[in-house]
Amino acid sequence: MSALHLYNTYTRRTEVFETLLPGRVGLYVCGPTVYGPPHLGHVRGPVVFDVLRRYLEFLDFKVRHVRNITDVGHLVGDVDEGEDKLQKQARLEQVEPMEVAQTYTLAYNEMIRLMGVLPPGIEPRASGHIIEQIEMIQAIMDAGLAYAVNGSVYFDVLAYAQHHEYGKLSGRVLEDLIAGAGNEARELEGQEEKRNPNDFALWKKADPEHIMQWSSPWGKGYPGWHIECSAMSRKYLGDVFDIHGGGMDLLFPHHESEIAQSTACTGHNPARFWVHHNMITINGQKMAKSLGNGITVDELFSGKHPLLQQAYSPMTLRFFILQAHYRGTLDFSNEALQASEKGLQRLWKAAETASGLKAAAHNEYDVNAIVAACAAAMNDDLNTPQVIAQLFEAARVANLCNDGKLALDAANIEALQQLFKVWMEDILGIRTESAGDDQALDGVMQMLLDMRAKAKADKNYALSDEIRNRLSALGLVIRDGKDGSSWSRN
Ligand SMILES: [Zn+2]
C-alpha cells in the first residue's frame, strides 16, 4: 500500500489515514492507572503506539503525543463502585495516594524507557486537571445529559441515546445492556441514585475519610475515571483530533463513555481514528491474579518468576511484541520469548555484518525491493511482523554477500546499511541493548579524550599515557588518528 492505512475500530474498516491538519497528528493514548508495579498487561500498548508514532514521524508528520497518568477516580471495580485503586494501595502501603502515584509513575516510565519507548510530548495527570473535568461535567449537565444526585453526577445514557448512537464503538446494544445491567447492578451500592443502571459517574461524592477530594459545584468529591481522558484530550488536542489509542479492554465502558461525554459536550466523536491493540495471554491463558500468572516487568527482566525459565531483556520483549500484529492476541511463553531472543540476535549480527561489507563492481540483488516491501507492510495497518520478515531477508542478503556468494555494489550496500538503521532502529525502535548505556559512556569517553588531548598539548605525556593505559585495562581502546582520537571497546 502506498499510503498509511489504519484499522478504525469505530467504523470497523481499514481506512486511509488522513490528518485533520496537513502535516500534523494529534495522538491520545490512555496511559496507566499507577497503583502497582508495571506488569505484562502494561507492555504492549506503549510499544505499539510508540511504533505508530515513530512511523508517523518517519512520514514527516509532526506528532503531538499525549499519554495520561490516571492517579485518581479509577475504582477497583472498574465501574462506579468500590474504593479508588490508588487510595486502596495507599492504605495498604500506609503512604499518601500521591506517593503511590509517584512511585508507580516512575516505575512505569523506567520500564518503557528500557523498552525504547519515546516519552510522550505531554503526560497529563488526572489530579492536575480537576478544573477542566468539572467544566466538562458542567457542560454535559447544561446540555441536559447529566444529573446530580446527593453530591454525585451521573451521565444520562438514555437521554443521550435519544439523539446519539450509544454503543457503536464497542458494538454493544443499549437494549441488551439495559436487560443485562439490571441484574448485576442491583448488587452494587449507590446504584439506586442512578436513573438507569447503565448511567455512569462523572463525579462522585467523597466521604469525609476519602483522602483525594476536591470542591465542586456539587460538593466535595472526585471525578469519575472516564471524564479525565475526555477533558485532557480536549485540552491538549482540541474537540476533534486524529487518533485515540488504547487496549481493547478499554472499549467498554471507558472509550464508549469518552465518546458519549465528548459528543454531549462538543457534538463530536473526539477522534477520527480509534485504534485498539489486542491483549496478552500467558501460555494460552488470560492474565489474572487468581491464576498466579501475573508477571511483573521486573520479574521478566530478572527471570525471577516460577513461570520463567530465564531473564528476558527489554529489547527481546519489544521485539517479541512487534513479531505479532497489534490486533492479534499475543501469547507469552518461554519458547516464544527464546525464539524472539535468537531472532533478534541474528538481526543485530546481520546489521553489524552489513556495516562491514565490501562493494563489488556489479550487483546481483535489488535491496530497494526490501525497502519497498517494508513500507508496504507498515502502510497496511502497521504490519510489523511483515517488516520483521523483510529484515530477516535483509539479514540473509547481508550474510550471503559477506560469504562471497552474492555481489552487491556500493549503492546496494549503502541501501542495506540504511535499511537496518531506518527500519529496525528508527521505526521499530529495536536498538542494540547497550545503546542506552553507551550514550552516557560516549559522553564520558569524549570528556576523557578531550582531557587527554589537553594533557598532550601541555606536553604532560605521563598523564596522557596514564589515561590511555587505564582505559585499556577496562577494555576501552583509544586510537590516535590525524583527525584526533577515537575509542572502541576491545
Ligand atoms: Zn482513557
Side-chain angles (χ1 to χ4, degrees):
M1 290 188 188
S2 58
L4 175 58
H5 289 60
L6 289 175
Y7 183 81
N8 190 345
T9 317
Y10 191 76
T11 60
R12 289 175 175 63
R13 279 199 309 263
T14 303
E15 299 171 358
V16 182
F17 178 68
E18 279 163 353
T19 56
L20 250 142
L21 298 173
R24 287 175 179 270
V25 175
L27 168 65
Y28 187 91
V29 179
C30 289
T33 302
V34 281
Y35 69 103
H39 56 73
L40 282 192
H42 286 123
V43 298
R44 195 173 189 186
V47 171
V48 165
F49 292 108
D50 184 56
V51 169
L52 171 59
R53 175 228 174 128
R54 284 166 177 268
Y55 189 54
L56 289 167
E57 288 177 344
F58 168 78
L59 296 175
D60 267 344
F61 288 108
K62 189 162 169 38
V63 180
R64 180 177 290 171
H65 178 199
V66 183
R67 188 184 63 222
N68 67 302
I69 296 284
T70 297
D71 60 356
V72 68
H74 194 172
L75 306 182
V76 287
D78 277 346
V79 281
D80 288 342
E81 299 308 325
E83 202 176 349
D84 185 298
K85 287 184 172 181
L86 272 108
Q87 174 142 329
K88 184 180 176 203
Q89 193 60 31
R91 188 165 50 73
L92 293 174
E93 294 184 20
Q94 296 190 307
V95 294
E96 280 287 318
M98 280 298 135
E99 287 180 282
V100 172
Q102 180 70 1
T103 300
Y104 296 118
T105 300
L106 291 175
Y108 179 85
N109 282 333
E110 174 61 6
M111 161 194 89
I112 59 179
R113 187 189 69 79
L114 287 170
M115 292 178 72
V117 173
L118 301 171
I122 304 175
E123 192 176 46
R125 289 175 178 229
S127 63
H129 296 76
I130 301 295
I131 291 168
E132 289 83 350
Q133 294 176 76
I134 290 175
E135 283 173 358
M136 198 160 194
I137 295 167
Q138 189 61 57
I140 298 170
M141 289 183 85
D142 294 346
L145 297 176
Y147 55 91
V149 188
N150 186 29
S152 294
V153 181
Y154 296 98
F155 190 92
D156 191 336
V157 170
L158 285 187
Y160 174 81
Q162 284 181 357
H163 301 286
H164 305 281
E165 243 179 315
Y166 180 79
K168 182 168 168 17
L169 178 76
S170 57
R172 304 217 180 180
V173 180
L174 188 55
E175 287 72 34
D176 295 351
L177 283 171
I178 291 168
N183 306 329
E184 310 157 23
R186 259 192 290 278
E187 326 258 314
L188 299 166
E189 50 154 327
Q191 288 291 331
E192 67 279 1
E193 290 181 352
K194 297 182 182 179
R195 290 181 188 167
N196 179 294
N198 290 293
D199 293 352
F200 55 88
L202 298 170
W203 187 263
K204 289 290 282 182
K205 178 187 178 164
D207 301 328
E209 63 271 21
H210 201 99
I211 301 169
M212 291 190 287
Q213 52 174 291
W214 292 265
S215 295
S216 80
W218 316 286
K220 293 238 174 196
Y222 56 95
W225 170 34
H226 316 307
I227 193 73
E228 64 167 285
C229 287
S230 290
M232 297 193 294
S233 63
R234 188 183 184 198
K235 174 166 176 141
Y236 297 110
L237 298 172
D239 287 357
V240 181
F241 52 92
D242 298 294
I243 304 171
H244 192 309
M248 264 164 56
D249 55 335
L250 296 180
L251 276 173
F252 190 90
H254 187 54
H255 289 165
E256 200 70 73
S257 304
E258 275 191 51
I259 291 177
Q261 292 165 157
S262 294
T263 307
C265 228
T266 70
H268 300 288
N269 175 343
R272 306 209 327 161
F273 279 79
W274 284 85
V275 177
H276 291 93
H277 65 84
N278 212 320
M279 309 318 288
I280 276 170
T281 54
I282 297 182
N283 297 319
Q285 278 186 313
K286 248 189 94 167
M287 221 172 18
K289 267 206 181 107
S290 55
L291 295 172
N293 63 3
I295 303 176
T296 69
V297 174
D298 272 350
E299 287 167 339
L300 197 95
F301 292 168
S302 66
K304 288 187 186 125
H305 188 283
L307 288 176
L308 298 174
Q309 290 168 2
Q310 61 169 89
Y312 299 99
S313 75
M315 272 300 139
T316 301
L317 186 56
R318 182 178 179 111
F319 186 66
F320 172 71
I321 289 168
L322 295 176
Q323 278 184 301
H325 189 264
Y326 75 91
R327 288 199 289 120
T329 52
L330 179 65
D331 189 44
F332 270 78
S333 66
N334 283 288
E335 299 72 49
L337 282 161
Q338 283 156 9
S340 290
E341 190 179 69
K342 271 205 195 109
L344 182 58
Q345 275 157 8
R346 212 162 95 219
L347 288 184
W348 276 333
K349 188 113 192 33
E352 211 180 297
T353 302
S355 68
L357 291 177
K358 299 268 178 298
H362 70 297
N363 190 58
E364 295 172 346
Y365 193 102
D366 178 16
V367 174
N368 282 317
I370 308 181
V371 177
C374 285
M378 279 303 274
N379 286 338
D380 183 11
D381 194 26
L382 308 182
N383 196 334
T384 55
Q386 270 301 320
V387 176
I388 290 171
Q390 293 301 324
L391 289 174
F392 280 119
E393 170 63 6
R396 192 184 68 89
V397 170
N399 292 332
L400 281 176
C401 180
N402 191 48
D403 294 345
K405 290 177 186 151
L406 184 75
L408 293 180
D409 62 12
N412 275 278
I413 285 178
E414 162 85 23
L416 196 62
Q417 291 163 349
Q418 273 300 308
L419 186 137
F420 282 112
K421 160 93 182 63
V422 171
W423 289 91
M424 186 168 80
E425 287 181 36
D426 296 350
I427 295 174
L428 295 190
I430 304 284
R431 47 167 172 67
T432 48
E433 208 85 57
S434 57
D437 306 337
D438 270 359
Q439 238 174 20
L441 185 61
D442 267 340
V444 172
M445 286 302 293
Q446 198 49 54
M447 181 177 78
L448 286 168
L449 292 182
D450 291 347
M451 288 168 74
R452 182 164 166 271
K454 187 168 182 305
K456 272 170 120 178
D458 295 344
K459 296 197 168 28
N460 187 346
Y461 298 114
L463 181 58
S464 74
D465 285 351
E466 189 190 343
I467 291 175
R468 192 192 56 217
N469 294 340
R470 287 181 64 178
L471 286 172
S472 169
L474 295 168
L476 301 164
V477 184
I478 293 186
R479 279 189 196 82
D480 295 317
K482 51 182 189 307
D483 302 324
S485 304
S486 62
W487 69 278
S488 62
R489 285 174 191 274
N490 191 1

